[in-house]
Amino acid sequence: VAQVRVLQKIMALLSTNSIAATNNSDTRMAGCLLIGIPGLEYLHIWLSIPFCAMYVAALVSNSFLICVILSQPSLHEPMYIFLSMLASADVLLSTATMPKALANFWLGSSHISFDGCLTQMFFIHFLFVADSAVLLAMAFDRYVAICSPLRYATILTSTVIGKITAATLTRSFIIMFPSIFLLKRLHYCRINIIAHTFCEHMGIARLSCSDISINVWYGLAAALLSTGLDIILIAVSYIRILRAVFQLPSQDARSKALSTCGSHVCVILLFYIPALFSVFAYRFGGRLIPSYVHILLANLYVVIPPMLNPIIYGVRTKPILEGAKQMFSNLVKGCN
């Protein structure tokens, strides 16, 4: 049934594309067709169940975490402000991808306008770069707290946090905005079928009949100079943190710090590895990597880290738990 729906969509798009080609030889007006996970169409309904569960869990847990941090003045500290920023970016990133993917899985709603595809592409990559920058800011926060605890309050002031937030958004915008013009300058004359559940830069570029070498190298440079640089700086921060931890006199303190750092590193790896795999697979994977593997991993990096972050950074943090109890206590008092 899923394959029949895809074929019907392709035939409809082919008909529209033929009209577009007759008019101005540009198939952008016909829009794009997101076919989901090619080769696994018969599993779309079953795959939608874990994806939907993870998306709902990410949405609820991150929204709850934001409410706790905003409602409790005791949590208005740099660490928790960065955590609320991460939760906000996670909610937006998963929301930019999952609703359309689930509509495709459940309803066969695979068509998207070309401008809609560009918009989705921009926000997905913009939020991913912003997410990466927030992870870097959180690593820096932990580095200062552990390696220079006496200077913590003077280094991470409210002004510095505001500048970090502005720099995060500005950097993400500057990096991703040119990609819209790089895609719009291309000529599109084929049927616009994207073998994916959401729109990505290279997924759109490969629809073009033009030379896309600039898009390939720009996308690679943007990934390496943003997330690649963030990974290096995060690694340096945690290496310095670990060096400081091993110098602690107490075995319990070392064990607690190592447990916390280990869980943080696991979440960071879950965020970066599938994303970087997606970047390089689109450009250099060719026929070596099955497309369904690439697409499944690309979907996982927009739902698994957002689902796990509130657990790793929030539930395991005592002040967050105390803040949640206080928030519920205030709600009960308000109702009474």
Side-chain angles (χ1 to χ4, degrees):
V1 175
Q3 291 177 339
V4 171
R5 287 180 177 176
V6 171
L7 287 174
Q8 289 174 343
K9 292 282 187 180
I10 291 173
M11 293 302 295
L13 201 60
L14 276 170
S15 175
T16 310
N17 278 335
S18 64
I19 296 172
T22 302
N23 291 337
N24 57 6
S25 298
D26 193 333
T27 57
R28 279 181 288 188
M29 63 183 296
C32 302
L33 195 65
L34 295 166
I35 64 173
I37 305 176
L40 299 180
E41 290 88 356
Y42 64 98
L43 292 176
H44 275 182
I45 293 295
W46 295 107
L47 289 171
S48 69
I49 296 173
F51 279 130
C52 181
M54 287 187 287
Y55 171 59
V56 172
L59 199 64
V60 172
S61 58
N62 282 287
S63 299
F64 176 75
L65 189 61
I66 294 169
C67 290
V68 171
I69 293 173
L70 292 180
S71 65
Q72 301 303 309
S74 61
L75 298 178
H76 294 175
E77 297 179 4
M79 174 182 175
Y80 305 110
I81 293 173
F82 289 139
L83 183 56
S84 66
M85 291 169 57
L86 180 68
S88 301
D90 283 342
V91 167
L92 294 174
L93 179 61
S94 55
T95 300
T97 54
M98 277 297 108
K100 181 59 181 176
L102 293 174
N104 192 347
F105 291 158
W106 291 335
L107 308 173
S109 178
S110 53
H111 184 266
I112 185 171
S113 68
F114 187 81
D115 288 338
C117 200
L118 287 181
T119 302
Q120 186 188 46
M121 178 276 302
F122 172 79
F123 279 107
I124 289 172
H125 294 310
F126 173 88
L127 291 166
F128 177 80
V129 175
D131 227 335
S132 176
V134 175
L135 287 174
L136 174 59
M138 293 177 71
F140 176 70
D141 170 82
R142 291 300 83 204
Y143 167 74
V144 175
I146 293 174
C147 298
S148 301
L150 299 179
R151 299 175 57 201
Y152 182 81
T154 57
I155 293 175
L156 286 170
T157 63
S158 57
T159 302
V160 171
I161 294 173
K163 289 180 179 179
I164 290 175
T165 303
T168 295
L169 298 176
T170 303
R171 187 190 74 155
S172 300
F173 183 82
I174 291 174
I175 289 173
M176 292 315 308
F177 192 65
S179 63
I180 296 177
F181 295 98
L182 289 175
L183 291 171
K184 278 186 169 291
R185 73 180 179 85
L186 299 175
H187 177 60
Y188 298 86
C189 61
R190 307 187 187 110
I191 179 171
N192 298 328
I193 298 176
I194 300 177
H196 213 307
T197 55
F198 54 82
C199 298
E200 284 190 326
H201 179 214
M202 288 309 302
I204 302 173
R206 291 188 186 280
L207 300 175
S208 172
C209 308
S210 308
D211 179 16
I212 62 170
S213 57
I214 295 178
N215 297 74
V216 172
W217 292 111
Y218 179 81
L220 185 61
L224 293 177
L225 294 176
S226 58
T227 55
L229 183 60
D230 291 346
I231 291 172
I232 294 173
L233 294 175
I234 288 172
V236 171
S237 296
Y238 275 102
I239 290 171
R240 298 290 297 273
I241 288 171
L242 289 174
R243 287 178 58 186
V245 166
F246 283 119
Q247 294 175 0
L248 293 175
S250 170
Q251 178 65 33
D252 291 338
R254 286 199 300 269
S255 299
K256 184 178 179 181
L258 287 174
S259 175
T260 302
C261 289
S263 58
H264 290 189
V265 170
C266 287
V267 172
I268 289 170
L269 292 176
L270 282 172
F271 179 74
Y272 281 116
I273 290 176
L276 292 178
F277 176 86
S278 177
V279 169
F280 287 103
Y282 245 134
R283 289 159 177 82
F284 309 113
R287 299 175 183 175
L288 299 177
I289 303 169
S291 58
Y292 65 86
V293 173
H294 161 227
I295 295 168
L296 280 173
L297 285 175
N299 279 273
L300 289 176
Y301 86 73
V302 298
V303 287
I304 289 184
M307 179 184 66
L308 294 179
N309 284 342
I311 299 173
I312 300 299
Y313 292 109
V315 173
R316 296 183 60 184
T317 306
K318 186 176 180 180
I320 294 289
L321 292 177
E322 294 297 327
K325 292 177 183 178
Q326 185 63 39
M327 186 182 73
F328 279 122
S329 176
N330 293 338
L331 286 174
V332 171
K333 290 180 181 178
C335 292
N336 293 335

